[in-house]
Amino acid sequence: MTATPRLARKAREAEPDIDQLLDFLYQMQLIRRFEERTGEMYTKGKVRGFLHLYTGQEACAVGALATLQPQDKVVTHYRDHGHAIARGMDPNRVMAELFGRQDGVSGGRGGSMHLYDASIGFLGGYAIVAAHLPLAVGLGLAANMKKENFVTLCVFGDGSVGEGEFHEALNLAVLWNTPVVFFCENNLYGMGVSFQESLSTQVTTLAAAYNMPAVSVDGMDVTAVYRETLKAVEHCRAGKGPYFVEAMTYRYRGHSMADPELYRLKDEVEKYRKRDAIDRLKARLMEGGHLDGAGWEAIVERVEKVVEDSIAFADASPNPPIDTLFRYVTKEPGDA
Amino acid sequence: MTATPRLARKAREAEPDIDQLLDFLYQMQLIRRFEERTGEMYTKGKVRGFLHLYTGQEACAVGALATLQPQDKVVTHYRDHGHAIARGMDPNRVMAELFGRQDGVSGGRGGSMHLYDASIGFLGGYAIVAAHLPLAVGLGLAANMKKENFVTLCVFGDGSVGEGEFHEALNLAVLWNTPVVFFCENNLYGMGVSFQESLSTQVTTLAAAYNMPAVSVDGMDVTAVYRETLKAVEHCRAGKGPYFVEAMTYRYRGHSMADPELYRLKDEVEKYRKRDAIDRLKARLMEGGHLDGAGWEAIVERVEKVVEDSIAFADASPNPPIDTLFRYVTKEPGDA
Amino acid sequence: MPEMRMRDALREALREEMLRDETVFLMGEDIGAYGGSYAVTKGLLEEFGEERVKDTPIAESGIVGVGIGAAMAGLRPMVELMTINFSFLALDQIVNSAAKLYHMSNGQINVPMVVRMASGGGSQLAATHSHSLEGLYAHFPGLKVVCPSSPADAKGLLKRAFRDDNTVIFIEHTANYGLKGDVPDDPDFLIEFGQANVLREGSDVTLVGYSGSVHQATRAAVMLQEQEGISAEVIDLRTLRPLDIDTVIRSVQKTNRAVIVEDDWKFGGFAGELSAQIMERAFDWLDAPVARVCGKDVPMPYNRNLEFAALPSEEDVVEAVLAMF
Amino acid sequence: MPEMRMRDALREALREEMLRDETVFLMGEDIGAYGGSYAVTKGLLEEFGEERVKDTPIAESGIVGVGIGAAMAGLRPMVELMTINFSFLALDQIVNSAAKLYHMSNGQINVPMVVRMASGGGSQLAATHSHSLEGLYAHFPGLKVVCPSSPADAKGLLKRAFRDDNTVIFIEHTANYGLKGDVPDDPDFLIEFGQANVLREGSDVTLVGYSGSVHQATRAAVMLQEQEGISAEVIDLRTLRPLDIDTVIRSVQKTNRAVIVEDDWKFGGFAGELSAQIMERAFDWLDAPVARVCGKDVPMPYNRNLEFAALPSEEDVVEAVLAMF
Ligand SMILES: Cc1ncc(C[n+]2csc(CCOP(=O)(O)OP(=O)(O)O)c2C)c(N)n1
Ligand SMILES: Cc1ncc(C[n+]2csc(CCOP(=O)(O)OP(=O)(O)O)c2C)c(N)n1
Ligand SMILES: [Mg+2]
Ligand SMILES: [Mg+2]
């Protein structure tokens, strides 16, 4: 069962055309609803463990992932549903994974924080903050050594910037001229700590100090994200080494389902909701006459169907049999 | 047995006077000869384990340590003899430590890489690259919290800059406004790898990106080191937070006694020897009429006596008794 | 004695020690504004202020290193690493600095620091977030390792940790945070390290556990009594280093059989140490080989059934005991 | 068969595997210009160039992470961490990424990487630089852990490591680098993992070791034979994970006595696992408790006499054996 990376067939244009914008809108809405329903499934006990919803940040995943080509690779953190879906991972299999079922992309072994679909170059959600940054550099190194022209998109949060591996990875990426786009989703908080309290400087100031281009972009504007990330990807693809993009964004929900949200005021959430990426793109398309009420309804309905289907699919999928417990510990000759 | 920090009684002047320069010369020569003789003691098998000589870098330790006051703290890396001596650690007890004897500053338990003398605020040589940088921040935090006006000098090599802890420590130091002078002895190599090959940027560019003052100074010029480090120390003492000094220097000997030195040419060593800090200061003092041949001879003789005495002292000191093996594993009430 | 949950007992210990000793301060990831990821530090920022309750960046190695430096300078920091899963990143500081400074400096410098972390599986947090590695820390001379199983123990041991002159690794099983129990409110209530607790007396077999696993052991003991008429003694080690093996040996000399119950992977885990020591010291008393009921040797799967199968259960303990008779 | 030192045998293994498979490359601290801190990689930079022999910054976690990423993309990296003492800094990458990716991804992604490091005390490198922690790595499912004791084994096992589809932690005792022995030059000379080697046959007691400690065990066996007329069988485990316990059990069923010899600290170390497994599987054959001769539970002191006292010696092994009769 292999999926197809989204938009794999389209040439990447510096400015997205109307079709593409409509697709962005669809995707953002899909992620939004997928996450909302996932939250409900958590409350019902169908999804368990740590669940980090992506609501509010949709423009980041959709804008950034749209710049990639099929051969490219993605590694991201535990808040990974949005990136997975934007990359074209089958929502059915994502939801099945969240339910811990056999048909989940990770066979029910990974859960929300560990979505993998190697067939579309989606090489994982990682739950140890910043641990996947060096992995991205390794993927980039392999691209160079194997002379394969793939770019690695490495997504992480502002909280990762304090970790030592952030530093080690950026230094190595530049030293070895690896085609890696470091994509920092700065949603202002790492759990309950604001990034100003956890970082002595600006993210891009620091990133630029390693000798790579570093830009900050409005992460609630999908076109802006797309535009800047595309520059980054093209820079990498041209063999010019890594590139750093910081997307300023906001998560509407708590850090995880367990978060009492003591550290921020409802006002702040409201402020950002007013700048909602979906609302803005929808308004823009409507103003431009490219979308009307019926068109929007069609998108909503399409989305509802995909999301509800994913829940039905997940619910119907069996648990992995207990006698598979010892499977996939080490890979041995003759293994499937 | 407590030592006295060197120069503890002198006020720190922006420019060292002639007396102080003569003392710098003496100290540099003391460290030079101490290291040369230590190398010989290693060949004789009296000193063992990993031995990293400081020859060539004397101006760093002497210039930097002279800026400190008695209450200040020092943490440094494994190439620590120079800093220990410049701080006023008893050379007898340093040599005894290198010999692994009971009268060594660390009772023979630490060896060359782990000199400690808490009585003069010399809180150790650390052998895990960059591991002591966060410790320095902790000392700085304690100075703030306890409202004790001490500054922590944290010495490390260019090789440390690639480690994650470098990053974590600098960020924390600025965030918490700690009085720490980060003193990077850039001797161009971390073992056999030149810093250009291990760092994608300049050391001070990176340090400055954390939002702290960062300067680079000629580390083969003791006055220059003194002058810039003094600014750093005063900045810290005034409560303005951390400060970064990079001293460009060179080690004449291999990384450790085991180093075959395949990675650099004799020429390069010769080039730096021509800029020797001792020679330069000696010439300057002679040109200025502050030192003559006899004066230099007197310094040399004084140094010889101190160094030879240290060897005799070390030789005469007993090994720690075997039945003390289990001492100092944990500290319990009633322990000495 | 008020009844409270373990998380509240831990908070009380922190509060009381902060009130008693002004050199005590807390730092860690999300212990302040967020209230602690398991709500242990909730309210302490408000009570003690930012100077003594410090939110940190996500930088495990750095913040443990800062704790060490602060401890070297005479403060008594508590560093919370959120969970044991993230403590790998700080292991070098714990092992090479905190545990060794006292020895390397010939007794000149000690590191009185408490490092707290949550551990354990069972919440479907998957492979990277379900470690039980108390035994890993217990391996290093210079450290002390504490793993409470009840609210009262949690309080008494944590308070005691702040009065130790060494680095104490204090590991709390996530499944225990919600446990209720009576907790002394005497501000000098301390539990000494190295004193195992006989939770239940018995004569036929000794079950040894700590932290989370004593609860499986206790439930197994009840099942054994009720279903099989086998009388099991249950010992809670409380601290792994120092280890009170004497209490275990005395028990085994009485029961002649022992089962170790531990969440961690069996292979190369701490249960092996316990098993070996029991054999070494009670060889002639043993009627059967010491058994180990541990986690299965697989990375922890997310799926609930698989996770359940990967963890030791009371049924596994009962089965191991029955196999001895 | 040419005779060579272990460091040269290791180099031959690296060379041959690089020649055989162009996806194999080396990265690590000072493996290039410096020639490797224990001269294992000497000359390989000249032979294979900078692309395949990469000097790295001092960034253990970063370079292991890069190795993992490269392995995920189909390369076969060898990452040299210089010594096990620095590997704490990379432990998170090894344990949470390398060891678990295959499982977490349900078999989609594997990490064929070799991580080499030197270990062991005895050279007066003091507390932070004298670790023997093979057992620590052996605890983690998903890894393989190899610890050769001879030049031929080193070559055959290292070549085999490059043909494994998983992360192999390859740990070399510094005291073994200079050992000489005959080494096959067949480019397909491989030693399978999980096959212990009976180095010496005997009938009265089984001595179990690996890496450095098999040499103490062997010397002790000679002393026992010559001085006491006791016939000791010596088993070299070669790999700790997978572990060939069957060979050990067969031997103990014959000798009825076992002594584990290990450099690492005894408390909570791998010797406990071995001791427990022997008891579990050969309980009825044991005439005495399995003994452990290990490092003393102290941070390693620099002083030569103290260090010597802290490490297990052949005399300690002899003494442990004699205590069994
Ligand atoms: C090494 C490590 N430390 C701590 C954690 C616990 N933790 C999980 S997410 C998180 C916050 C990360 O914030 P950020 O990188 O900004 O990502 P966001 O959640 O905001 O998307 C923390 C502290 C972890 N998973 N890994
Ligand atoms: C974490 C760690 N990795 C590797 C080493 C091995 N090592 C010891 S010194 C050294 C080079 C350090 O270079 P630098 O910081 O420039 O100091 P210098 O020796 O030049 O004074 C290395 C790699 C170590 N001690 N610690
Ligand atoms: Mg964030
Ligand atoms: Mg250097």
Side-chain angles (χ1 to χ4, degrees):
Chain A
M1 210 182 332
T2 58
T4 326
R6 283 197 67 84
L7 291 174
R9 288 140 266 112
K10 270 210 142 174
R12 299 293 168 280
E13 303 292 341
E15 283 302 315
D17 62 17
I18 297 301
D19 272 4
Q20 206 167 354
L21 288 177
L22 285 166
D23 189 59
F24 285 175
L25 187 63
Y26 165 74
Q27 286 189 62
M28 292 198 291
Q29 178 67 10
L30 175 58
I31 295 171
R32 173 75 47 93
R33 284 298 296 153
F34 189 92
E35 292 297 72
E36 286 171 355
R37 292 290 281 146
T38 296
E40 288 163 27
M41 291 303 116
Y42 186 90
T43 314
K44 284 197 177 169
K46 299 251 180 194
V47 179
R48 298 176 59 96
F50 283 151
L51 174 63
H52 310 85
L53 296 178
Y54 194 66
T55 331
Q57 305 185 197
E58 295 86 352
C60 296
V62 171
L65 275 283
T67 66
L68 298 183
Q69 294 187 7
Q71 76 274 24
D72 295 335
K73 313 284 180 212
V74 181
V75 287
T76 180
H77 55 169
Y78 46 86
R79 194 182 299 286
D80 58 353
H81 313 172
H83 314 110
I85 290 174
R87 179 62 177 168
M89 203 182 278
D90 179 354
N92 288 355
R93 298 191 59 213
V94 178
M95 192 61 85
E97 187 57 37
L98 306 186
F99 279 41
R101 303 302 171 85
Q102 191 172 274
D103 298 303
V105 279
S106 310
R109 287 186 156 73
S112 161
M113 305 196 287
H114 303 293
L115 303 175
Y116 296 88
D117 188 346
S119 72
I120 52 170
F122 196 90
L123 301 183
Y126 292 82
I128 302 296
V129 166
H132 57 302
L133 276 69
L135 273 55
V137 179
L139 290 164
L141 181 69
N144 289 348
M145 290 182 70
K146 297 170 79 183
K147 305 206 179 3
E148 293 178 8
N149 195 16
F150 66 82
V151 171
T152 299
L153 179 73
C154 176
V155 182
F156 52 92
D158 50 293
S160 314
V161 179
E163 285 282 6
E165 302 210 71
F166 172 88
H167 166 75
E168 298 185 7
L170 267 62
N171 182 39
L172 285 161
V174 177
L175 272 177
W176 292 346
N177 200 48
T178 54
V180 176
V181 177
F182 291 101
F183 188 87
C184 177
E185 297 186 340
N186 188 341
N187 61 8
L188 312 192
Y189 295 93
M191 286 188 65
V193 180
S194 80
F195 85 96
Q196 289 100 328
E197 284 171 282
S198 66
L199 191 63
S200 69
T201 182
Q202 297 303 309
V203 175
T204 49
T205 307
L206 187 56
Y210 291 90
N211 258 334
M212 76 176 105
V215 296
S216 193
V217 60
D218 180 356
M220 313 280 284
D221 175 346
V222 67
T223 332
V225 172
Y226 174 81
R227 197 182 298 128
E228 289 302 327
T229 313
L230 187 61
K231 279 186 212 154
V233 168
E234 285 174 349
H235 174 96
C236 287
R237 188 123 33 224
K240 296 184 190 162
Y243 199 110
F244 195 99
V245 179
E246 178 194 34
M248 300 304 302
T249 183
Y250 199 78
R251 60 168 158 71
Y252 296 161
R253 302 288 296 259
H255 166 72
S256 72
M257 297 301 285
D259 181 357
E261 289 186 73
L262 304 171
Y263 51 87
R264 67 179 188 183
L265 299 172
K266 283 246 151 32
D267 283 6
E268 193 182 89
V269 185
E270 284 317 309
K271 187 181 110 193
Y272 281 92
R273 277 194 188 271
K274 294 216 177 80
R275 301 186 43 232
D276 185 73
I278 298 178
D279 290 349
R280 278 159 81 189
L281 180 58
K282 194 171 76 176
R284 194 178 134 194
L285 287 167
M286 285 187 163
E287 277 160 30
H290 309 296
L291 183 74
D292 56 13
W296 172 244
E297 274 315 307
I299 289 178
V300 167
E301 270 168 39
R302 215 174 117 210
V303 161
E304 289 311 303
K305 176 152 175 26
V306 172
V307 173
E308 296 315 311
D309 283 358
S310 77
I311 293 173
F313 177 87
D315 245 337
S317 175
N319 282 302
I322 303 249
D323 63 12
T324 65
L325 177 61
F326 289 91
R327 221 178 257 177
Y328 307 130
V329 179
T330 60
K331 181 172 184 179
E332 302 303 334
D335 279 3
Chain B
M1 211 181 331
T2 58
T4 326
R6 283 197 67 83
L7 292 173
R9 286 139 268 111
K10 269 209 142 175
R12 300 291 169 280
E13 302 291 341
E15 283 302 314
D17 62 18
I18 297 302
D19 272 3
Q20 206 167 353
L21 288 177
L22 285 166
D23 189 58
F24 285 176
L25 187 62
Y26 164 74
Q27 286 188 62
M28 291 199 291
Q29 178 66 11
L30 174 58
I31 295 171
R32 173 75 47 94
R33 285 298 295 151
F34 189 93
E35 292 297 72
E36 286 171 355
R37 291 289 281 145
T38 297
E40 289 164 28
M41 293 301 116
Y42 185 90
T43 314
K44 283 196 177 170
K46 299 251 180 193
V47 178
R48 297 175 62 95
F50 283 151
L51 175 63
H52 309 86
L53 296 178
Y54 195 67
T55 331
Q57 304 185 199
E58 295 86 351
C60 296
V62 171
L65 275 283
T67 65
L68 298 183
Q69 294 187 7
Q71 75 274 25
D72 294 335
K73 313 283 181 212
V74 182
V75 288
T76 179
H77 55 169
Y78 46 86
R79 194 181 300 285
D80 58 352
H81 313 172
H83 314 112
I85 290 173
R87 180 61 179 169
M89 203 182 276
D90 179 354
N92 288 354
R93 299 191 59 212
V94 178
M95 191 61 85
E97 187 58 37
L98 306 186
F99 279 42
R101 303 303 171 84
Q102 189 172 278
D103 298 303
V105 279
S106 311
R109 287 186 156 73
S112 160
M113 305 197 287
H114 303 294
L115 303 174
Y116 296 89
D117 188 345
S119 70
I120 53 170
F122 196 90
L123 301 183
Y126 291 82
I128 302 296
V129 167
H132 57 303
L133 275 68
L135 273 55
V137 179
L139 290 164
L141 182 68
N144 289 348
M145 289 182 71
K146 297 170 79 181
K147 304 203 177 10
E148 292 178 9
N149 195 15
F150 66 82
V151 171
T152 299
L153 179 73
C154 175
V155 182
F156 52 92
D158 50 294
S160 315
V161 179
E163 285 282 7
E165 302 210 69
F166 171 89
H167 166 74
E168 298 186 5
L170 266 63
N171 182 39
L172 285 161
V174 177
L175 272 177
W176 292 345
N177 199 49
T178 55
V180 177
V181 177
F182 291 101
F183 189 87
C184 176
E185 297 186 342
N186 187 341
N187 60 10
L188 312 191
Y189 295 94
M191 286 188 65
V193 180
S194 81
F195 85 95
Q196 288 100 330
E197 285 170 281
S198 66
L199 191 64
S200 70
T201 181
Q202 297 304 309
V203 176
T204 49
T205 307
L206 187 57
Y210 292 90
N211 258 334
M212 76 176 106
V215 296
S216 193
V217 59
D218 180 357
M220 312 282 281
D221 176 345
V222 68
T223 332
V225 172
Y226 174 82
R227 197 183 298 129
E228 290 302 328
T229 313
L230 187 60
K231 278 185 213 155
V233 169
E234 284 173 351
H235 175 96
C236 287
R237 189 129 24 229
K240 295 183 192 163
Y243 200 109
F244 196 99
V245 179
E246 177 194 33
M248 300 305 300
T249 182
Y250 199 78
R251 62 168 156 70
Y252 296 162
R253 303 289 296 261
H255 167 72
S256 72
M257 297 302 284
D259 181 358
E261 288 186 73
L262 304 171
Y263 51 87
R264 66 180 188 182
L265 299 172
K266 283 247 151 29
D267 283 6
E268 192 183 270
V269 185
E270 283 318 309
K271 186 181 111 193
Y272 280 93
R273 276 194 188 272
K274 292 216 177 81
R275 301 184 43 229
D276 186 73
I278 298 179
D279 290 350
R280 278 160 83 190
L281 180 57
K282 194 170 77 177
R284 192 178 137 195
L285 287 167
M286 284 186 163
E287 276 160 30
H290 307 298
L291 182 74
D292 57 13
W296 172 245
E297 273 315 307
I299 289 178
V300 168
E301 270 168 39
R302 215 176 116 208
V303 161
E304 288 311 303
K305 177 154 172 22
V306 171
V307 174
E308 296 315 310
D309 283 358
S310 77
I311 293 172
F313 177 87
D315 245 338
S317 175
N319 281 303
I322 304 253
D323 63 13
T324 65
L325 177 61
F326 288 91
R327 221 178 258 177
Y328 307 130
V329 178
T330 59
K331 181 172 184 181
E332 301 304 334
D335 281 3
Chain C
M1 273 202 300
E3 199 195 36
M4 57 177 83
R5 294 191 193 276
M6 190 173 97
R7 63 163 54 83
D8 303 314
L10 289 163
R11 186 182 318 113
E12 277 307 296
L14 294 175
R15 275 195 70 236
E16 288 177 13
E17 293 305 296
M18 289 179 83
L19 290 170
R20 180 186 62 83
D21 180 352
E22 62 174 23
T23 67
V24 171
F25 74 102
L26 318 182
M27 50 193 274
E29 297 173 5
D30 282 298
I31 63 167
Y34 191 97
S37 39
Y38 291 94
V40 170
T41 53
K42 198 165 159 184
L44 296 180
L45 172 63
E46 291 70 16
E47 183 171 354
F48 294 97
E50 285 188 352
E51 175 97 349
R52 292 182 73 194
V53 181
K54 289 185 142 45
D55 271 325
T56 68
I58 311 174
E60 288 74 13
S61 197
I63 62 176
V64 169
V66 170
I68 295 170
M72 289 165 72
L75 296 176
R76 295 200 166 244
M78 183 289 282
V79 182
E80 179 172 325
L81 287 182
M82 205 171 275
T83 80
I84 199 167
N85 309 290
F86 317 138
S87 74
F88 295 122
L89 291 160
L91 193 66
D92 174 71
Q93 285 293 1
I94 294 173
V95 161
N96 273 326
S97 305
K100 296 193 169 74
L101 266 163
Y102 188 57
H103 197 256
M104 295 196 300
S105 71
N106 207 38
Q108 292 181 78
I109 298 171
N110 62 310
V111 184
M113 173 175 64
V114 179
V115 182
R116 282 184 47 247
M117 49 183 94
S119 82
S123 314
Q124 288 191 252
L125 302 184
T128 60
H129 277 54
S130 303
H131 288 102
S132 298
L133 287 162
E134 292 82 353
L136 185 149
Y137 286 100
H139 185 44
F140 295 98
L143 299 178
K144 305 203 173 172
V145 178
V146 182
C147 336
S149 71
S150 73
D153 278 10
K155 183 173 180 192
L157 290 164
L158 184 53
K159 285 171 67 72
R160 172 63 182 75
F162 280 101
R163 305 183 189 202
D164 205 279
D165 285 328
N166 307 282
T167 295
V168 178
I169 311 296
F170 198 95
I171 305 176
E172 302 152 14
H173 199 294
T174 51
N176 288 348
Y177 281 126
L179 286 186
K180 278 191 181 165
D182 290 337
V183 178
D185 47 13
D186 170 5
D188 281 319
F189 167 62
L190 302 176
I191 297 176
E192 281 309 312
F193 294 167
Q195 297 190 347
N197 195 11
V198 181
L199 286 182
R200 181 186 170 102
E201 303 216 355
S203 52
D204 300 329
V205 60
T206 303
L207 309 181
V208 184
Y210 59 89
S211 190
S213 64
V214 291
H215 301 295
Q216 275 105 296
T218 304
R219 284 191 296 269
V222 173
M223 288 165 68
L224 284 165
Q225 189 67 60
E226 292 175 356
Q227 294 164 22
E228 314 284 344
I230 291 174
S231 158
E233 181 144 314
V234 179
I235 297 180
D236 176 2
L237 295 172
R238 282 177 166 165
T239 63
L240 300 192
R241 189 174 195 121
L243 177 71
D244 178 8
I245 194 69
D246 291 345
T247 296
V248 176
I249 299 298
R250 265 195 306 274
S251 173
V252 175
Q253 287 172 341
K254 176 175 70 174
T255 63
N256 309 113
R257 289 173 190 85
V259 179
I260 323 290
V261 192
E262 190 177 43
D263 283 3
D264 195 10
W265 297 301
K266 181 195 268 189
F267 189 80
F270 195 73
E273 174 68 30
L274 294 170
S275 173
Q277 284 208 37
I278 293 170
M279 181 204 23
E280 284 160 8
R281 298 198 32 200
F283 188 70
D284 292 331
W285 282 267
L286 286 176
D287 285 349
V290 180
R292 294 181 285 168
V293 176
C294 302
K296 304 292 182 302
D297 285 314
V298 293
M300 190 67 80
Y302 165 66
N303 173 272
R304 187 177 207 164
N305 299 352
L306 292 183
E307 181 177 43
F308 192 80
L311 286 169
S313 68
E314 43 267 38
E315 288 79 11
D316 297 337
V317 180
V318 169
E319 204 176 296
V321 169
L322 293 181
M324 291 184 151
F325 285 89
Chain D
M1 274 203 301
E3 199 196 35
M4 57 176 83
R5 295 190 193 277
M6 190 173 98
R7 64 161 54 82
D8 303 314
L10 289 163
R11 187 183 315 112
E12 277 308 296
L14 294 175
R15 275 195 70 238
E16 289 177 13
E17 293 304 296
M18 289 178 84
L19 291 170
R20 179 186 63 83
D21 180 352
E22 60 174 24
T23 66
V24 171
F25 74 102
L26 318 182
M27 50 193 275
E29 296 174 6
D30 282 298
I31 64 167
Y34 192 96
S37 40
Y38 292 95
V40 169
T41 53
K42 199 166 158 182
L44 296 180
L45 172 63
E46 291 72 14
E47 184 171 352
F48 294 96
E50 284 188 354
E51 176 97 350
R52 292 182 73 195
V53 181
K54 290 187 140 46
D55 270 326
T56 69
I58 312 174
E60 287 74 14
S61 197
I63 63 177
V64 169
V66 171
I68 295 169
M72 289 165 71
L75 296 176
R76 294 200 167 246
M78 182 289 283
V79 182
E80 180 173 325
L81 288 183
M82 204 172 275
T83 80
I84 199 167
N85 310 290
F86 316 138
S87 74
F88 295 121
L89 291 159
L91 193 66
D92 174 69
Q93 286 292 1
I94 295 173
V95 161
N96 274 325
S97 305
K100 298 194 170 75
L101 265 163
Y102 188 57
H103 198 256
M104 294 195 302
S105 70
N106 207 38
Q108 293 181 76
I109 297 170
N110 61 311
V111 184
M113 172 176 65
V114 180
V115 182
R116 283 185 46 247
M117 50 182 92
S119 83
S123 314
Q124 286 192 252
L125 303 183
T128 61
H129 276 53
S130 302
H131 289 102
S132 298
L133 287 163
E134 292 83 354
L136 184 148
Y137 286 101
H139 185 45
F140 295 98
L143 299 178
K144 305 204 172 171
V145 179
V146 182
C147 336
S149 71
S150 74
D153 278 9
K155 184 174 180 191
L157 290 165
L158 184 53
K159 284 170 66 73
R160 173 63 183 75
F162 280 101
R163 306 183 189 202
D164 204 279
D165 285 328
N166 306 283
T167 295
V168 179
I169 310 296
F170 198 94
I171 305 177
E172 303 152 12
H173 199 295
T174 52
N176 288 347
Y177 281 124
L179 285 185
K180 278 189 181 165
D182 291 337
V183 177
D185 47 14
D186 170 5
D188 281 319
F189 167 62
L190 301 176
I191 297 175
E192 281 308 312
F193 295 166
Q195 298 190 347
N197 195 10
V198 180
L199 286 182
R200 182 187 170 104
E201 303 216 353
S203 53
D204 300 329
V205 61
T206 303
L207 309 181
V208 184
Y210 60 90
S211 190
S213 64
V214 290
H215 302 295
Q216 276 107 295
T218 305
R219 284 191 296 270
V222 173
M223 288 166 66
L224 284 166
Q225 189 68 60
E226 291 176 356
Q227 293 164 22
E228 314 284 344
I230 292 175
S231 160
E233 181 144 313
V234 178
I235 297 180
D236 177 2
L237 296 172
R238 280 176 166 165
T239 62
L240 300 192
R241 189 175 195 120
L243 177 72
D244 178 7
I245 195 70
D246 292 344
T247 297
V248 176
I249 299 298
R250 267 195 305 275
S251 174
V252 175
Q253 287 174 340
K254 175 175 73 175
T255 64
N256 309 113
R257 289 175 190 85
V259 179
I260 323 290
V261 192
E262 191 177 43
D263 283 4
D264 195 11
W265 296 301
K266 182 195 270 189
F267 190 80
F270 195 73
E273 174 67 30
L274 294 169
S275 173
Q277 285 208 36
I278 294 170
M279 181 206 20
E280 283 159 8
R281 299 200 31 199
F283 189 70
D284 292 331
W285 284 268
L286 286 176
D287 285 349
V290 181
R292 295 181 285 168
V293 175
C294 300
K296 304 294 184 299
D297 285 315
V298 293
M300 191 67 82
Y302 165 68
N303 173 272
R304 187 176 207 163
N305 299 351
L306 292 184
E307 181 177 43
F308 192 80
L311 286 168
S313 68
E314 42 267 41
E315 288 79 11
D316 296 337
V317 179
V318 169
E319 204 177 295
V321 170
L322 294 182
M324 292 185 150
F325 286 89

